[in-house]
Amino acid sequence: MAIEHKTRTQLVAEAIRAKILSGEIKAGEPLRQAALATEMNVSRIPVREALLQLEAEGLVNFEAHKGATATELSASQIDEIFDLRALLEAELLSHSIGGLTDQDLIDAELILTELESAMDAGDTHLATGDLNSRFHGKLYSRAERPQTRELVDMYSKNSERYVRMHILLAGGLTTAPEEHRTLLEFCRAKDTKKACDFLKKHILGAKNDIKKLLLKIEDEKR
C-alpha cells in the first residue's frame, strides 16, 4: 500500500472539516484565521488555503468585512445538492455495477457490517462520514469515470452535515441500514436499473426528510 503524504494545508483542512461536520464549530460561527493558526501550531497561510478549499466544498463562506464562517444549514440548498447527488451517483453506479467483482461485493458487505455496528454503538460521526462514503465508494469503484467521481466526492462532503442530521433527527437511523442492504442486494444481482432507481430513491428520500425537518426548525425561529 502506498503511503500518502499530506501537505500542511490538507491536514489543516481535514481538522477544520472534522470540527464543522461534528458540530464542534457551529453553523454561522466565525472562523478566525489567527486563532486557528495558533490552535493548530501553523502559520496563517495553510489556514487560509484550507478555508478556501472548504469554501469550494460548501462548508465555509467568505463575506466582505466579516471573513470566513461555517455555512448555515438551509432548506433552500437541499434540493440542488441532493438532486445532483442522485443524478451523479446513479450515473457512477450504472457504469460500475457490471464490473463489480465478488471481492468488491464482499468488501462492501464488510464495510456495511462495520457501518451498522457503528450506528448501533451510537457513533454517528463514523457511520455518516467515513464508513458511509467507503460503502458507496466501493459500489462506484469500477465506473472508470474519474471526473464524475470527483464531483460526487465534493457533493458528498458538502452534504455530510445534512446526512448526519438525517441520521440523528430525521429518521435515518431506522431506515438507512435496511436501504443499504437492499442496494447491495441489487448490485449483487447485477440489476442495474433496480439498483440505480433505488439509489436515487435512497438519496431523494433522505433529502425530503431533512428538508421537512429544516423547514420546521426555520419556522420555529420566526
Side-chain angles (χ1 to χ4, degrees), residues 23-220:
E24 184 179 337
I25 294 175
K26 308 294 184 194
E29 186 175 326
L31 298 163
R32 308 202 183 284
Q33 294 180 38
L36 288 167
T38 300
E39 179 187 343
M40 298 179 188
N41 196 28
V42 296
S43 71
R44 290 195 191 188
I45 294 171
V47 172
R48 172 75 178 178
E49 291 172 346
L51 291 175
L52 289 170
Q53 179 181 324
L54 295 173
E55 181 186 32
E57 294 176 14
L59 293 174
V60 168
N61 185 42
F62 278 92
E63 296 180 52
H65 312 300
K66 190 175 179 182
T69 58
T71 52
E72 298 277 356
L73 294 171
S74 167
S76 64
Q77 295 175 351
I78 284 274
D79 284 323
E80 184 174 16
I81 293 172
F82 279 76
D83 288 352
L84 283 168
R85 277 192 58 199
L87 287 170
L88 292 169
E89 292 187 39
E91 173 74 6
L92 271 187
L93 185 60
S94 72
H95 287 285
S96 176
I97 196 167
L100 289 173
T101 65
D102 289 343
Q103 188 59 53
D104 289 332
L105 295 165
I106 290 169
D107 291 344
E109 174 91 31
L110 290 171
I111 296 166
L112 187 51
T113 299
E114 196 177 346
L115 190 156
E116 290 168 346
S117 296
M119 291 180 76
D120 288 342
D123 191 345
T124 55
H125 177 70
L126 182 61
T128 59
D130 182 57
L131 290 172
N132 187 68
S133 296
R134 281 172 54 202
F135 171 71
H136 282 275
K138 180 57 68 173
L139 298 183
Y140 309 153
S141 63
R142 301 296 175 179
E144 297 184 1
R145 289 289 193 277
Q147 293 185 61
T148 307
R149 182 61 186 268
E150 190 174 325
L151 288 170
V152 164
D153 289 344
M154 182 184 74
Y155 285 117
S156 292
K157 288 174 183 174
N158 197 305
S159 65
E160 196 171 317
R161 285 187 303 169
Y162 294 102
V163 173
R164 182 165 292 114
M165 177 177 276
H166 182 234
I167 294 295
L168 289 173
L169 303 173
L173 191 62
T174 56
T175 60
E178 183 181 340
E179 290 182 3
H180 283 140
R181 286 276 166 196
T182 301
L183 178 60
L184 181 57
E185 287 309 310
F186 285 140
C187 291
R188 191 174 276 123
K190 304 291 187 184
D191 193 326
T192 302
K193 185 178 188 314
K194 283 186 178 178
C196 293
D197 287 348
F198 189 84
L199 177 60
K200 287 180 181 178
K201 181 182 175 184
H202 172 66
I203 294 170
L204 296 178
K207 176 193 81 170
N208 292 333
D209 289 343
I210 301 162
K211 189 173 181 180
K212 195 181 300 180
L213 178 62
L214 281 171
L215 288 171
K216 182 182 176 184
I217 291 170
E218 289 173 7
D219 282 343
E220 289 171 352

